[in-house]
């Protein structure tokens, strides 16, 4: 993934595989630096990682942004998993309307252990043509 704003030294992201479709967004993520063995530290790091995906990444609807700023975010932790190991983030959109979107998802370790589930509401406000043009120009200058 090539995101110019991402500090690649502290985080690694990889696509899941060809099973990712319009109905979901799956990616592998991990923190690059080793973390202490404290489960609370890993729960905090998983919370951080949970905000790197969007359930709308693969939804292709004219005028619907792929994501936006978080309005509400909830997580439920089930089993301790390490955030400095590969974590599968599996997200699915549930509703988009009235400039808001809702998606939910789950986070698993490489062995398939369910670490956490999440739900997130995001602002899905389409960009104006001027905003889109400015974004594309900024992206082109970083490439």
């Amino acid at each position: 993934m090539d995101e110019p704003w991402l500090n690649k030294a502290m985080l690694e992201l990889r696509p899941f595989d060809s099973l990712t479709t319009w109905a979901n967004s799956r990616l592998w993520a991990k923190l690059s630096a080793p973390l202490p063995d404290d489960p609370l530290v890993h729960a905090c790091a998983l919370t951080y990682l949970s905000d790197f995906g969007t359930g709308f990444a693969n939804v292709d609807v004219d005028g619907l942004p792929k994501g936006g700023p978080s309005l509400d975010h909830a997580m439920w932790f089930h089993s301790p998993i390490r955030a400095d190991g590969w974590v599968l983030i599996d997200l699915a959109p549930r509703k988009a309307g009235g400039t808001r979107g809702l998606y939910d998802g789950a986070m698993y370790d490489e062995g398939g252990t369910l670490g956490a589930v999440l739900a997130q509401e995001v602002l899905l406000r389409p960009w104006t043509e001027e905003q889109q043009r400015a974004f594309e120009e900024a992206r082109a200058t970083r490439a």
Side-chain angles (χ1 to χ4, degrees):
M1 302 183 112
D2 188 21
E3 301 296 343
W5 47 266
L6 187 60
N7 181 347
K8 294 179 181 157
M10 85 184 206
L11 179 68
E12 292 181 55
L13 298 173
R14 294 186 182 160
F16 180 66
D17 66 15
S18 61
L19 296 177
T20 298
T21 68
W22 68 269
N24 62 24
S25 176
R26 292 182 179 120
L27 66 136
W28 288 105
K30 78 172 188 168
L31 298 177
S32 299
L35 295 176
D37 289 333
D38 183 348
L40 183 57
V41 170
H42 287 274
C44 291
L46 287 174
T47 303
Y48 174 76
L49 288 176
S50 74
D51 219 15
F52 276 93
T54 171
F56 294 93
N58 296 321
V59 176
D60 192 16
V61 175
D62 193 36
L64 182 69
K66 300 292 185 185
S70 178
L71 299 173
D72 193 10
H73 189 159
M75 290 187 71
W76 297 267
F77 296 93
H78 295 277
S79 298
I81 62 173
R82 296 193 64 91
D84 54 0
W86 286 107
V87 175
L88 174 63
I89 303 172
D90 187 4
L91 306 172
R94 299 297 171 204
K95 178 166 178 40
T99 71
R100 291 182 177 201
L102 175 68
Y103 64 87
D104 59 24
M107 302 176 80
Y108 304 89
D109 69 9
E110 286 183 280
T113 300
L114 174 64
V117 295
L118 63 102
Q120 188 160 9
E121 183 181 28
V122 294
L123 184 64
L124 294 176
R125 189 169 291 155
W127 285 0
T128 65
E129 287 182 26
E130 183 179 327
Q131 290 171 319
Q132 183 68 35
R133 188 171 40 257
F135 173 78
E136 289 170 3
E137 288 172 4
R139 182 184 239 172
T141 60
R142 289 188 197 113

